[in-house]
Amino acid sequence: LSDLNLVIAIDGPAGAGKSTVAKLLAERLGLRYLDTGAMYRCVALAANRAGLTAQDGDAAAALAQGLAIDFGAGDPPSVWLNGEDVSEAIRTPEMAELASALSAFAAVRIELVARQQALVQHGGWTLEGRDTTTVVAPNATLKVFLTASLEERTRRRHNDLEERGMVVPGDLARQIADRDHRDYTRSESPLSVSKDALVIESFGVSPGDVVDRIIAHLP
Ligand code: C5P
């Protein structure tokens, strides 16, 4: 556990608990935490402000190249886009939708994956997102695929939105199912379980216990 060159990648569908687990794991092991989804959300926010839509993948990728995306202190870490704190603005259901749509474009992924690989290349990171075990960090020290049923993931997202005082869409389960479908079936880096990933079903298991299981599997 003293190996600070560790890279731990946490993969899985929306609402499986990736962020909670990755943050806790980073804290426990003294690793830095990279939320790759926040980077896709930043591209979505910038695209939206530039008047682009879900179909404008190439324009969004071109826009992405010029964006400064940074993470600050805080729990969860604050997210900065071109010097502006967008921690809240990127967490709306609209930005989740647009991020999901734009992340299906190869040009957008190429830009963000390159940045993510540059960040974690020297180790000391836990990174979280739905291509981290297959594309961003296939050589990670440990790769984890977190799962939970659609019902359980909907329940968590519901509580999460409510806690943050946000409107809970009436068709939340449907939105998550659609997002799953898009993430699993897209031609560019579809969500998939890497062969050598540790698969953890998180229903009924506390985040702390999930973290214990991950740590127990470290080489
Ligand atoms: O994880 P989060 O919900 O913040 O991600 C927003 C969207 O960005 C996801 O629905 C997914 O489509 C996309 N994404 C991705 N690859 C990642 C992280 C997120 O395609 N590594």
Side-chain angles (χ1 to χ4, degrees), residues 14 18-19 35-38 40-41 91 95-96 99-101 103-104 109 116 128-132 136 157 179 183 186:
K18 298 189 296 292
S19 313
D35 174 0
T36 62
Y40 287 92
R41 287 169 183 263
R91 299 293 167 197
M95 288 311 120
S100 170
S103 71
R109 304 201 69 81
Q116 291 154 9
E128 168 247 304
R130 63 206 72 209
D131 68 340
T132 54
V136 182
R157 205 32 79 95
R179 198 133 72 92
D183 287 352
R186 69 189 179 200

Side-chain angles (χ1 to χ4, degrees), residues 1-10 25-26 28-31 125-126 140-144 198 200 210-219:
L1 299 191
S2 56
D3 181 3
L4 289 177
N5 293 324
L6 282 179
V7 173
I8 305 176
I10 316 268
L25 188 62
R28 287 270 300 273
L29 297 178
L31 302 172
W125 287 86
T126 175
T141 318
L142 184 63
K143 296 183 274 185
V144 178
L198 168 68
I200 299 181
V210 172
V211 167
D212 285 341
R213 285 176 58 180
I214 293 172
I215 291 175
H217 275 85
L218 282 172

